Amino acid sequence: MNTNATLRASQSSSAAETSLETSKEFEDFIYLISHDVRNSVRALIELPQWIAEDLTEAGVKIDGSVAESIELMNKHTGRLDRMLVDLLTFSRVGRMQNVEDVNIDAALSEVLEEIPMPSGFTVVRALDCEVVTIGERDIMTLMTALISNAVKHHDRSLGKIVVSSYRDRQDVVLSVRDNGPGIPAGYHERVLGAMTTLRPRDEVEGSGMGLAIARKIAQLYDGRISISENQEGRGTTIEVRLAVGSP
């Protein structure tokens, strides 16, 4: 290797290290600010409730513009709190946990106990691969993000979600398939970005961080995430590939 090539390789390595350090510093910043600001937001969430209670005790009827203002405060502070929670979740990916062999079926059961599933929805398990090597909390975060996304954006009262896993050479593949309205092909890359929603937040509540969190987890384990349209004509399949033995 000549001198110029060696210099370019050194500069490239240095730039990569600087980029990683900058990224970590930024994620540290997100973690700290999300945690600290959320304490203040929690107080703001309680404030409209205190105002309503004080007015009721004083014999003031809460209706009209006053009721609308209190409802609007509740709506927006709740939205801000959810956004901070998701930012905190994003910054915690890969942190403070053990990377170990995790039973996928057991992890899925635990996630489904926490997600409020509509009564008309069914979840089908097709888990051909039973174990994946991943952070004990990252697997929960990943499944929660994928399943919550399928439920949140469904447009019917009856829904079906298929969660599958299998080995493909050196990868463990996890996928979640739904029969919802689907994601237009031109938006597949866009929806993986942070703070991205295809519908107004007044129609579908959410921070737009779910799939960004899923992509970050996939990349952490030397994998990738992909979105495809179902052959049936409705619905979406989101597939996450995780490299065995990473990170």
Side-chain angles (χ1 to χ4, degrees), residues 91-182:
S91 69
R92 283 176 172 172
V93 169
R95 293 173 179 258
M96 300 175 292
Q97 59 188 305
N98 297 318
V99 175
E100 58 190 23
D101 289 344
V102 177
N103 183 279
I104 298 173
D105 187 59
L108 177 58
S109 294
E110 190 170 344
V111 166
L112 292 177
E113 288 179 1
E114 299 296 326
I115 295 178
M117 191 70 61
S119 59
F121 278 58
T122 58
V123 177
V124 177
R125 306 181 191 218
L127 306 176
D128 295 333
C129 176
E130 298 180 354
V131 176
V132 61
T133 304
I134 192 172
E136 55 192 345
R137 190 172 62 226
D138 285 341
I139 184 63
M140 309 292 290
T141 301
L142 175 61
M143 286 189 167
T144 297
L146 296 178
I147 296 173
S148 295
N149 181 76
V151 173
K152 184 185 304 178
H153 297 286
H154 208 289
D155 59 343
R156 296 179 180 177
S157 58
L158 299 178
K160 180 180 179 181
I161 298 172
V162 179
V163 181
S164 65
S165 65
Y166 61 92
R167 287 289 297 268
D168 182 16
R169 290 173 292 184
Q170 296 303 310
D171 294 339
V172 172
V173 182
L174 300 174
S175 76
V176 173
R177 177 164 57 90
D178 64 64
N179 61 347

Side-chain angles (χ1 to χ4, degrees), residues 12-203:
S12 176
S13 176
S14 177
E17 291 176 1
T18 300
S19 177
L20 287 173
E21 290 175 1
T22 301
S23 177
K24 184 179 184 304
E25 288 174 359
F26 181 66
E27 290 183 7
D28 289 342
F29 173 73
I30 291 176
Y31 176 82
L32 291 173
I33 196 171
S34 299
H35 183 274
D36 292 345
V37 172
R38 192 174 181 230
N39 291 332
S40 297
V41 171
R42 296 304 301 174
L44 289 175
I45 289 175
E46 295 176 351
L47 184 59
Q49 301 171 6
W50 296 340
I51 293 173
E53 291 172 1
D54 289 344
L55 290 174
T56 300
E57 291 178 1
V60 178
K61 185 178 181 181
I62 304 175
D63 58 8
S65 61
V66 175
E68 291 175 1
S69 296
I70 291 177
E71 182 181 355
L72 193 61
M73 290 173 66
N74 285 327
K75 180 178 181 179
H76 284 281
T77 52
R79 183 177 294 170
L80 179 58
D81 186 57
R82 282 190 295 274
M83 186 176 297
L84 289 170
V85 168
D86 287 345
L87 281 172
L88 200 56
T89 300
F90 183 85
S91 69
R92 283 176 172 172
V93 169
R95 293 173 179 258
M96 300 175 292
Q97 59 188 305
N98 297 318
V99 175
E100 58 190 23
D101 289 344
V102 177
N103 183 279
I104 298 173
D105 187 59
L108 177 58
S109 294
E110 190 170 344
V111 166
L112 292 177
E113 288 179 1
E114 299 296 326
I115 295 178
M117 191 70 61
S119 59
F121 278 58
T122 58
V123 177
V124 177
R125 306 181 191 218
L127 306 176
D128 295 333
C129 176
E130 298 180 354
V131 176
V132 61
T133 304
I134 192 172
E136 55 192 345
R137 190 172 62 226
D138 285 341
I139 184 63
M140 309 292 290
T141 301
L142 175 61
M143 286 189 167
T144 297
L146 296 178
I147 296 173
S148 295
N149 181 76
V151 173
K152 184 185 304 178
H153 297 286
H154 208 289
D155 59 343
R156 296 179 180 177
S157 58
L158 299 178
K160 180 180 179 181
I161 298 172
V162 179
V163 181
S164 65
S165 65
Y166 61 92
R167 287 289 297 268
D168 182 16
R169 290 173 292 184
Q170 296 303 310
D171 294 339
V172 172
V173 182
L174 300 174
S175 76
V176 173
R177 177 164 57 90
D178 64 64
N179 61 347
I183 301 173
Y187 293 92
H188 286 182
E189 181 61 28
R190 178 181 170 185
V191 297
L192 295 174
M195 301 291 184
T196 301
T197 59
L198 297 185
R199 295 166 61 189
R201 287 185 171 86
D202 288 336
E203 293 181 11

Side-chain angles (χ1 to χ4, degrees), residues 93 134 138 141-142 212-221 242:
V93 169
I134 192 172
D138 285 341
T141 301
L142 175 61
I213 291 170
R215 180 169 68 173
K216 183 180 179 182
I217 293 173
Q219 292 174 340
L220 176 66
Y221 294 91
L242 305 171

